[in-house]
Amino acid sequence: ETGVTQSPTHLIKTRGQQVTLRCSSQSGHNTVSWYQQALGQGPQFIFQYYREEENGRGNFPPRFSGLQFPNYSSELNVNALELDDSALYLCASSLVQQGMGEAFFGQGTRLTVV
Amino acid sequence: RKEVEQDPGPFNVPEGATVAFNCTYSNSASQSFFWYRQDCRKEPKLLMSVYSSGNEDGRFTAQLNRASQYISLLIRDSKLSDSATYLCVVSPYNQGGKLIFGQGTELSVKP
């Protein structure tokens, strides 16, 4: 196991609602990234947090937001949910900011929007 | 054009076969390269990093051609347990470790 845990594992929400997904990073890791994986696709980068600040963002609208806490755990918030937001959301933690460290993924949160 | 493109698959091979996955990337400033493996409904896991000189780990060989912006993964003597989706991954220079994934190629090894 990677030591990266995500909660909840599954979630069903209604279109227009808001959702918060949580991630506890591996001990000693200071960087957390979030990815969205639609069925049959590779994961897509949402954003990354390093030392509690956003450090890079992918092509996702502002209704996708996040936080990183002093203990390096993280939250992903999605407002005004749309049907297309249904996907597996993956959190990855790593130690080094500049991409030289291996990223360890959590098991993911499977979000279904109905 | 997608930033990372892979063979669409799926690949269906018998046990013991050799199978090759190909991947191209569009950003010449890419710094690091990886192959990840993802089992059905699980998280991706790092299979191996890919270096310019090529590298091997048991039955797995990865190669990188920076001039052609091409990455490959060769699996020899396929096992049933190799059945999974293989993701080609690129990390651009100076973008904080952001990973760009290909869409993945599904491999099914049959007895």
Side-chain angles (χ1 to χ4, degrees):
Chain A
E1 297 301 322
T2 64
V4 181
T5 57
Q6 293 185 240
S7 62
T9 54
H10 297 82
L11 199 53
I12 300 175
K13 287 286 193 179
T14 302
R15 189 171 50 182
Q17 285 188 312
Q18 178 267 342
V19 69
T20 297
L21 310 182
R22 295 180 173 82
C23 172
S24 293
S25 57
Q26 183 158 318
S27 178
H29 284 184
N30 57 12
T31 301
V32 174
S33 303
W34 286 91
Y35 294 81
Q36 179 195 67
Q37 186 174 22
L39 199 61
Q41 301 296 316
Q44 299 293 308
F45 177 75
I46 303 174
F47 42 56
Q48 181 186 81
Y49 280 82
Y50 171 67
R51 292 185 175 176
E52 303 177 56
E53 302 232 343
E54 188 178 291
N55 179 48
R57 187 178 183 93
N59 189 25
F60 281 81
R63 58 189 185 83
F64 285 78
S65 64
L67 284 173
Q68 187 181 31
F69 301 99
N71 66 355
Y72 303 129
S73 65
S74 178
E75 285 183 357
L76 164 65
N77 299 291
V78 187
N79 293 322
L81 283 166
E82 300 176 1
L83 297 180
D84 284 349
D85 295 334
S86 296
L88 178 68
Y89 288 84
L90 294 159
C91 161
S93 79
S94 55
L95 175 59
V96 180
Q97 180 184 5
Q98 296 303 323
M100 299 299 290
E102 179 180 348
F104 294 88
F105 284 84
Q107 82 282 11
T109 294
R110 193 164 297 278
L111 173 66
T112 302
V113 182
V114 297
Chain B
R1 183 186 172 190
K2 293 183 180 178
E3 290 186 80
V4 179
E5 296 204 59
Q6 296 184 238
D7 292 333
F11 285 19
N12 296 299
V13 304
E15 267 188 296
T18 296
V19 60
F21 300 121
N22 301 312
C23 170
T24 58
Y25 60 95
S26 61
N27 185 352
S28 60
S30 297
Q31 177 185 31
S32 304
F33 309 87
F34 312 93
W35 283 101
Y36 274 73
R37 170 193 168 129
Q38 186 172 27
D39 293 294
C40 186
R41 303 183 76 83
K42 300 279 192 179
E43 73 274 19
K45 293 184 179 176
L46 179 65
L47 179 65
M48 58 197 303
S49 300
V50 188
Y51 305 113
S52 297
S53 54
N55 48 300
E56 187 173 307
D57 182 2
R59 299 181 292 108
F60 299 83
T61 301
Q63 302 235 311
L64 167 65
N65 184 322
R66 283 187 184 268
S68 302
Q69 296 179 204
Y70 169 86
I71 308 162
S72 66
L73 175 69
L74 187 75
I75 304 176
R76 292 180 299 278
D77 189 22
S78 302
K79 310 291 185 191
L80 297 177
S81 57
D82 293 333
S83 297
T85 295
Y86 290 82
L87 296 156
C88 177
V89 185
V90 169
S91 184
Y93 177 73
N94 208 25
Q95 290 194 32
K98 167 185 176 181
L99 299 178
I100 303 174
F101 287 80
Q103 76 270 33
T105 303
E106 184 182 346
L107 172 66
S108 180
V109 182
K110 304 291 187 184

